[in-house]
Amino acid sequence: MEKSGMQDKDAFNREMLEFLQASTTPFHAVAEMSRRLDAAGFSALREADAWELQAGGKYYVQRNQSSLVAFVYGTDELPEKGWRMWGAHTDSPCLKLKPKPDIEKKGYRQWGVQVYGGALLNPWFDRDLSLAGRVHYQTKDGALKQRLIDLQRAVAVIPSLAIHLDREANNARTVNPQTDMPPIVCFSGDNSDLETLLLEYLKAEGAPDAVELIDFELSLYDTQPPAVIGWRNEFIASARLDNLLSCFVGLRGLLAAGNKTHAVLVCNDHEEVGSLSAIGAQGPMLKAILQRVVGDHESFERAIHQSLMVSADNAHGVHPNYVDRHDNNHGPLLNAGPVIKINANQRYASTSETNTLFTALCKACDVPVQQFVIRSDMGCGSTIGPITSGALGVRTVDIGVPTFAMHSCRELAGSEDAHGLAKVAAHFFASRELPQI
């Protein structure tokens, strides 16, 4: 097998923090990945166009600006060698603005929000929140345009209720997403509705011809920047570690892959809400692209059965204050290596064969590996792994970096783990032969 180099841990983490800071929504994550792919010599493809792929060429496809498939069309024979595939997702639990969000109460302007995914709501209180996403608008001459926006400054807050007015707040606090979560934006007035504020912003930021807001997909996010923290810099603290960390790791691995193997990175939107959409893992995007790459059904089936998918999504590290929430023999530790996720009821797609293959890849890179199994008396989450494996028939292993506070607006991972996993990703993508079992 071929091994690919990887920058030192501190430089890698600095680059990852920059990526996380830039990727405030799935739209911005895909835009940032596309920018990095462009800089590395990848060519953008449109699904509506005819493709003429060149051996050794590097390409990527966006759909809805929030899902991405990037691939190397290697020089090796595809049906004989198969694909090296890495899957992750671009979305994270968050607060999304409703289509008609404007609320006025007691002289304050607020925004109605929808909770996207299984978010931890309590951490969103008392945070300095900004707004980002995609807007569609009409210009003076009647043209319809769209634009990604990121205000990059705090414009909203959800203040907690003082403990004097809720004496049980520390004992039995519950959160009603309809009534408790609308943030305060400004004092109300004639020019404080969302359309006026957004048109004002667009005109100031390079769209002076915008006259009417048509629609939008906008999310709130915590403005606290990602950081390396801990007495000895042991941890990474950031929003959206689940699962932009895995997107970044896969991207760095793909950029180090060379041009011999057929390497694929897929980053789907909508994983946090079930993946059933035109751009989600349960939709047709990845299979349609792979079929176009290989050209015919028989070659596709031959290639799939020589392939391996690594489904990368964060794992639950053992929280020292809640060790009883884990199985005693399967409690992943931060900075102790990536985690293979296993579930007898197929909530994860890992098998003994794919676990063995991934373990061999980690050993080849001198990266330790751990295992996670949920307690038998608790429900288990899932990933894009079983969905992609079921749709394609590809061997799949579910893995991830151990994390605390998953689905909070600020999560915590080890500062060693993403760098170690990126070594494995680079080695995996460059591997012209998988270990034989």
Side-chain angles (χ1 to χ4, degrees):
M1 291 187 187
E2 300 174 358
K3 292 187 180 181
S4 298
M6 182 62 59
Q7 64 195 128
D8 69 80
K9 182 195 71 175
D10 292 339
F12 176 90
N13 283 336
R14 285 194 298 271
E15 186 180 344
M16 183 170 68
L17 296 189
E18 292 171 0
F19 174 80
L20 292 166
Q21 179 77 353
S23 303
T24 48
T25 72
F27 303 116
H28 291 83
V30 167
E32 181 64 14
M33 285 188 282
S34 299
R35 185 187 68 79
R36 292 168 182 262
L37 290 165
D38 289 336
F42 281 69
S43 299
L45 298 173
R46 293 180 68 250
E47 291 184 272
D49 293 341
W51 294 355
E52 295 183 5
L53 306 179
Q54 303 296 319
K58 301 179 179 183
Y59 307 93
Y60 70 92
V61 181
Q62 292 185 18
R63 189 180 285 192
N64 189 52
Q65 297 180 280
S66 62
S67 288
L68 177 142
V69 176
F71 62 94
V72 177
Y73 188 67
T75 56
D76 287 342
E77 288 296 319
L78 179 51
E80 283 75 22
K81 298 293 186 179
W83 286 287
R84 308 290 177 264
M85 293 190 278
W86 186 279
H89 64 88
T90 60
D91 59 324
S92 302
C94 64
L95 303 179
K96 291 195 171 188
L97 265 58
K98 293 181 176 179
K100 295 181 179 180
D102 289 302
I103 301 170
E104 289 189 50
K105 287 184 181 178
K106 295 295 182 180
Y108 296 101
R109 174 70 65 178
Q110 295 177 273
W111 290 332
V113 294
Q114 302 180 80
V115 178
Y116 177 85
L120 277 172
L121 294 180
N122 279 305
W124 284 86
F125 288 84
D126 307 315
R127 296 278 182 163
D128 299 340
L129 303 177
S130 191
L131 189 70
R134 181 171 66 178
V135 297
H136 297 257
Y137 61 93
Q138 188 171 9
T139 65
K140 294 176 182 177
D141 60 5
L144 298 176
K145 293 187 178 181
Q146 65 180 22
R147 188 182 186 94
L148 298 189
I149 69 167
D150 184 348
L151 274 59
Q152 297 185 335
R153 66 181 184 90
V155 297
V157 64
I158 310 170
S160 292
L161 182 64
I163 196 166
H164 313 77
L165 305 177
D166 182 7
R167 293 292 185 180
E168 295 300 309
N170 290 330
N171 300 320
R173 186 184 188 188
T174 60
V175 179
N176 184 312
Q178 174 69 19
T179 60
D180 296 342
M181 299 306 293
I184 295 174
V185 182
C186 59
F187 290 108
S188 59
D190 293 339
N191 297 315
S192 64
D193 61 284
L194 180 66
E195 179 171 2
T196 300
L197 296 175
L198 285 179
L199 286 174
E200 179 182 288
Y201 173 83
L202 289 169
K203 290 175 181 179
E205 297 293 326
D209 56 347
V211 295
E212 182 182 358
L213 184 69
I214 304 299
D215 208 345
F216 55 81
E217 295 174 75
L218 296 171
S219 304
L220 296 168
Y221 71 90
D222 181 13
T223 58
Q224 184 176 4
V228 177
I229 68 169
W231 192 270
R232 295 183 176 87
N233 298 321
E234 296 97 332
F235 308 111
I236 299 287
S238 176
R240 303 175 298 280
L241 289 177
D242 177 21
N243 189 30
L244 292 182
L245 181 151
S246 300
C247 292
F248 180 76
V249 166
L251 176 66
R252 291 293 290 114
L254 183 68
L255 295 180
N259 64 355
K260 294 183 174 64
T261 57
H262 291 267
V264 179
L265 170 67
V266 54
C267 298
N268 290 113
D269 198 357
H270 295 160
E271 189 275 345
E272 297 292 0
V273 292
S275 293
L276 181 56
S277 71
I279 56 175
Q282 203 168 342
M285 183 179 180
L286 178 59
K287 186 172 185 178
I289 290 171
L290 295 180
Q291 287 176 330
R292 291 183 70 171
V293 168
V294 77
D296 63 83
H297 178 71
E298 181 168 337
S299 296
F300 173 79
E301 290 297 330
R302 290 176 62 199
I304 279 293
H305 289 283
Q306 296 292 337
S307 301
L308 179 66
M309 160 70 84
V310 176
S311 167
D313 202 348
N314 296 35
H316 296 292
V318 177
H319 193 308
N321 295 345
Y322 305 95
V323 294
D324 60 328
R325 303 301 174 94
H326 285 262
D327 184 275
N328 287 337
N329 293 337
H330 304 92
L333 302 176
L334 274 61
N335 286 333
V339 178
I340 297 174
K341 300 191 282 188
I342 301 163
N343 183 260
N345 295 307
Q346 294 302 296
R347 300 294 288 169
Y348 303 129
S350 307
T351 69
S352 58
E353 179 187 9
T354 59
N355 297 349
T356 299
L357 291 173
F358 184 76
T359 300
L361 292 167
C362 290
K363 285 184 177 179
C365 300
D366 297 320
V367 172
V369 65
Q370 308 180 77
Q371 292 184 328
F372 170 77
V373 178
I374 196 74
R375 283 177 56 111
S376 298
D377 55 359
M378 295 177 67
C380 185
S382 192
T383 70
I384 67 167
I387 296 169
T388 305
S389 180
L392 300 180
V394 64
R395 295 177 297 174
T396 302
V397 59
D398 267 300
I399 62 96
V401 163
T403 308
F404 294 153
M406 194 181 294
H407 288 198
S408 174
C409 64
R410 193 165 180 86
E411 299 165 324
L412 193 73
S415 59
E416 304 276 351
D417 288 328
H419 181 246
L421 185 57
K423 292 180 183 178
V424 179
H427 180 48
F428 170 61
F429 278 133
S431 298
R432 301 176 72 184
E433 300 286 346
L434 292 172
Q436 297 299 310
I437 297 178

